Amino acid sequence: YKFNEDDSGTVIAEEAEPDQDSFIGLRYPASDIPKQARALYVRSPLRIIADVNAPTHAIHPALDPNGMPLDLSLAVTRAVSPIHLEYLRNMGVAASMSVSILRNGQLWCLFACHHRTPRHISYELRSEIELFSELFNYQLAQVELTSELAELDQARSLHDRLMTQLSGGTSM
């Protein structure tokens, strides 16, 4: 799921079972992922929903010692929006995992993994996925930097040719 300049998103790649519907090429409006959810994706790059039908439980007390709401944004077992759970159910998804890919501190894309049955992800596998996302982020930065440097080299070469021709009085 790659984010576009206008914050909408497009499914650019997928791996699916032969009998599953394809999402490739589908485009979703920016409102599909609300700002607060995007902020969570940036803050916590791994979001796991082991079972969309699992019961949720309130935490007591709901406020910290300073009277502020508890911040559970980094808690792996934190519940997600009931609206998002219904969205997943409507897609036929029973378990979901999203991995954030960030560029310059901004959400660049998501690896969205869905499963038809509830699925628990072990701590070891979560750690491996987090390492993968960090390595992917690093590799993406390297690819983008290499591309930017190549563009700079092309621009510098064009500039040098133009200046040589202009200073020599030759026409282009």
Side-chain angles (χ1 to χ4, degrees):
Y1 186 95
K2 169 84 171 61
F3 291 97
N4 303 307
E5 292 292 324
D6 64 356
D7 283 341
S8 65
T10 304
V11 178
I12 61 169
E14 73 179 358
E15 177 69 26
E17 295 294 327
D19 62 335
Q20 284 182 300
D21 292 336
S22 176
F23 294 104
I24 197 81
L26 293 182
R27 186 167 175 165
Y28 296 88
S31 60
D32 193 54
I33 300 178
K35 288 187 182 205
Q36 67 270 26
R38 287 174 192 256
L40 282 171
Y41 280 124
V42 170
R43 188 157 183 229
S44 179
L46 190 60
R47 177 174 165 180
I48 299 170
I49 304 168
D51 182 354
V52 299
N53 294 310
T56 59
H57 304 281
I59 294 180
H60 298 284
L63 303 177
D64 69 15
N66 298 318
M68 299 297 296
L70 293 175
D71 181 1
L72 298 175
S73 57
L74 298 178
V76 175
T77 56
R78 178 184 67 82
V80 297
S81 162
I83 295 168
H84 183 63
L85 294 174
E86 188 63 28
Y87 184 89
L88 292 173
R89 285 186 204 103
N90 289 339
M91 291 174 55
V93 171
S96 176
M97 178 181 69
S98 300
V99 182
S100 303
I101 302 301
L102 307 175
R103 292 299 312 123
N104 301 318
Q106 301 293 315
L107 195 54
W108 187 78
C109 80
L110 290 174
F111 291 127
C113 307
H114 299 137
H115 206 272
R116 294 179 184 171
T117 60
R119 183 159 180 146
H120 173 75
I121 305 294
S122 69
Y123 173 77
E124 291 80 12
L125 185 54
R126 285 195 316 263
S127 296
E128 291 171 9
I129 294 166
E130 287 174 345
L131 177 60
F132 168 80
S133 75
E134 289 175 18
L135 293 173
F136 189 93
N137 283 328
Y138 174 76
Q139 186 64 31
L140 178 63
Q142 291 303 109
V143 167
E144 287 185 339
L145 179 60
T146 300
S147 176
E148 289 171 9
L149 291 174
E151 289 176 13
L152 283 172
D153 284 344
Q154 285 180 320
R156 187 175 298 113
S157 176
L158 176 61
H159 174 266
D160 292 348
R161 284 195 318 257
L162 286 171
M163 294 312 292
T164 299
Q165 290 177 353
L166 289 172
S167 65
T170 59
S171 66
M172 302 179 88

